[in-house]
Amino acid sequence: MEKLENTLKQGKEEVFPSVLLVGCGKMGASLMQGWQKEKYFSCVVVDRHKPLVPESYQLRESYQCVCSVSDIPQEFVPDVIVLAIKPQKAEEVLVALGERYAHQNLTLLSVMAGRTIAFLEKTWCTRSNNCPPIIRAMPNTPSVLGAGVCGLYASPKATAEKKQYCDTLMRAVGKTVWVDEEHLIDAVTGVSGSGPAYVFLLAEWIEKAGQEQGLPLSVARLLAREVIYGAGKMLHELPTEASELRQNVTSPGGTTAAALSVLMGAEAFPKIVPEAVAAAVHRAGELAG
Ligand SMILES: NC(=O)c1ccc[n+]([C@@H]2O[C@H](COP(=O)([O-])OP(=O)(O)OC[C@H]3O[C@@H](n4cnc5c(N)ncnc54)[C@H](OP(=O)(O)O)[C@@H]3O)[C@@H](O)[C@H]2O)c1
């Protein structure tokens, strides 16, 4: 497998690290598909199942897929191990990785919700005394289209170089933002890790409501999707505040004002959106272990 020295991009200073991706389900596969456009880079993927990618999807030659940690080629020592399995399944894998990579100079990048650096260090060290620097990241599934956003937090042991590796990996699939307290990763989870689901739910309900108003499913679906895409594009590309963009669509006494009086009622968005985000943050805390 290519080593880090060989992954230097010609003509650029940035180094794309070699990766061991553990877990290639919904999140891991989104990251992997985003990374595929990077040329000079090797990746071993560990998953019990085939990577969760479309049938037509061609994996690069520099990717190798295996079913368990024990199947990872002996000679492969990654720069970064990306842990993308469910938090509840972390323990066994971490112990095996800790034993195998006890004396290697690598970085552990966990995208698992909840699991703290203290937990990851303790579990990694079950059969070894040497834990690598750990960085926690909370990406989201739009990473598959390079439109993700990822919050990161580094343990004090992580050097600037290690942080740079992880930032490079996550920036290949979207934007990155660093927080300086670990507990804030739970807040990132509630806002942007889980966030795409809130927007998909909105799309589902706009589509249903359109059908209830007599539109055929195909028309209601197109309208719901395009309105979210168009509004998202405006938010992404214009510097205007969201509230101002909203007001620009809202004439006093008009149709949008009628709809917003429902959505902005005391029991509606102002209550349920903070409650939903708080529920996600609370659940992340419960998974801490
Ligand atoms: N999904 C999201 O939108 C999202 C967003 C941000 C962060 N995350 C984080 O990403 C992590 C993964 O979430 P996900 O939704 O991608 O989960 P997922 O779809 O269940 O993917 C995890 C994959 O890893 C496999 N796996 C688990 N333990 C394994 C082992 N010991 N050896 C080999 N393969 C193993 C699983 O197989 P089995 O199903 O057979 O166990 C599954 O295929 C979670 O910790 C979550 O908090 C997810």
Side-chain angles (χ1 to χ4, degrees):
M1 301 299 285
E2 288 172 79
K3 291 292 296 168
L4 175 60
E5 306 87 68
N6 302 328
T7 66
L8 273 171
K9 287 181 181 173
Q10 285 160 354
K12 290 189 192 169
E13 280 182 10
E14 198 167 48
V15 172
F16 205 86
S18 56
V19 173
L20 174 64
L21 174 63
V22 185
C24 201
K26 293 175 280 297
M27 193 64 244
S30 297
L31 293 173
M32 189 188 71
Q33 288 174 81
W35 292 334
Q36 280 244 113
K37 62 186 186 302
E38 296 292 331
K39 278 191 185 153
Y40 308 100
F41 140 76
S42 59
C43 183
V44 171
V45 178
V46 182
D47 200 297
R48 275 195 270 272
H49 314 279
K50 282 188 180 163
L52 197 64
V53 292
E55 280 285 304
S56 57
Y57 199 74
Q58 291 284 312
L59 275 185
R60 272 185 189 284
E61 280 171 15
S62 59
Y63 280 64
Q64 190 174 345
C65 298
V66 298
C67 293
S68 75
V69 171
S70 57
D71 298 331
I72 301 167
Q74 276 307 324
E75 71 280 9
F76 184 67
V77 179
D79 297 311
V80 181
I81 297 177
V82 179
L83 260 191
I85 53 177
K86 295 278 189 215
Q88 300 86 339
K89 300 194 172 166
E91 220 150 325
E92 183 196 330
V93 176
L94 270 165
V95 173
L97 289 169
E99 193 171 17
R100 174 166 184 148
Y101 291 113
H103 303 293
Q104 304 292 349
N105 176 21
L106 42 76
T107 306
L108 182 61
L109 175 64
S110 167
V111 306
M112 292 187 296
R115 291 301 197 189
T116 59
I117 288 178
F119 167 86
L120 298 169
E121 278 182 346
K122 189 174 102 224
T123 315
W124 178 283
C125 288
T126 306
R127 289 193 209 131
S128 82
N129 292 321
N130 187 20
C131 187
I134 298 179
I135 291 176
R136 283 185 63 191
M138 184 43 60
N140 61 7
T141 53
S143 302
V144 71
L145 300 177
V149 63
C150 178
L152 295 118
Y153 171 80
S155 72
K157 266 166 74 176
T159 60
E161 181 198 39
K162 304 289 189 190
K163 288 171 72 177
Q164 186 61 46
Y165 283 169
C166 297
D167 197 73
T168 300
L169 276 179
M170 292 305 170
R171 233 174 333 101
V173 293
K175 291 194 184 340
T176 57
V177 59
W178 288 81
V179 295
D180 52 17
E181 289 174 59
E182 186 175 1
H183 73 92
L184 292 178
I185 284 291
D186 291 350
V188 174
T189 306
V191 172
S192 60
S194 304
Y198 316 156
V199 179
F200 300 140
L201 182 67
L202 187 61
E204 287 172 57
W205 281 101
I206 296 178
E207 183 183 301
K208 277 197 181 82
Q211 282 185 279
E212 276 171 27
Q213 296 303 321
L215 293 171
L217 171 62
S218 60
V219 175
R221 180 163 293 172
L222 180 86
L223 295 177
R225 286 179 174 225
E226 291 302 312
V227 83
I228 287 174
Y229 173 70
K233 199 164 159 66
M234 286 178 85
L235 286 167
H236 191 251
E237 292 179 14
L238 305 176
T240 322
E241 291 286 328
S243 58
E244 195 181 328
L245 291 171
R246 169 173 56 76
Q247 280 154 19
N248 291 344
V249 196
T250 318
S251 319
T255 57
T256 311
L260 291 183
S261 71
V262 176
L263 291 174
M264 295 170 77
E267 294 299 308
F269 271 31
K271 179 167 185 280
I272 62 172
V273 174
E275 267 180 21
V277 171
V281 174
H282 179 74
R283 180 66 186 138
E286 286 176 343
L287 292 169

